[in-house]
Amino acid sequence: MQAQMVTYPVILHPDNGEYNVEIPDINNDTWIRGTSAAQALILAKEVIGKTLAGLSELPPATPTNQLPVSDQDIQHLVTVDLSAFRLVEPAE
C-alpha cells in the first residue's frame, strides 16, 4: 500500500504545564489536551489520522501564516501517514 502523507497545522495553547491543542482544519476546529507538548502532538497525530483515514476528499490545510495565534501559543505542523490508520482488508 502506498503511503499517503498529509501535513496539517496545530496550535498548542500552554495551560498550567499542560497543552490544549487546536486542530483548525479537522471537524471545524477540533480541540484535545495533552499533559506535555510531546504527548499533545502524539494525540494530534492520532486524531488527524483516525479522522481522515476514511475520507476520500481531505480538507485543505490552512497556511500557518493565516492561523490566529497569541504570543504564548506555539504553532506546529503535524505530518501523518494515513495508510497507517486505514484498515487493511484481509486477502481472500
Side-chain angles (χ1 to χ4, degrees):
M1 175 183 284
Q2 186 177 22
Q4 184 177 358
M5 305 299 284
V6 296
T7 302
Y8 284 91
V10 299
I11 304 168
L12 283 77
H13 303 276
D15 183 26
N16 295 319
E18 295 188 345
Y19 291 84
N20 293 311
V21 182
E22 180 180 0
I23 312 171
D25 301 313
I26 305 300
N27 291 334
N28 296 315
D29 203 20
T30 295
W31 284 76
I32 55 175
R33 186 170 179 86
T35 57
S36 68
Q39 184 204 34
L41 291 171
I42 290 168
L43 292 172
K45 184 175 183 175
E46 289 178 10
V47 168
I48 293 168
K50 289 177 181 177
T51 302
L52 300 183
L55 299 180
S56 58
E57 189 172 327
L58 302 177
T62 302
T64 55
N65 65 350
Q66 294 180 10
L67 295 175
V69 294
S70 65
D71 289 340
Q72 70 270 12
D73 293 340
I74 303 163
Q75 291 184 42
H76 195 79
L77 293 174
V78 175
T79 300
V80 180
D81 180 355
L82 293 181
S83 67
F85 290 90
R86 291 195 172 110
L87 296 177
V88 177
E89 306 238 354
E92 291 185 29

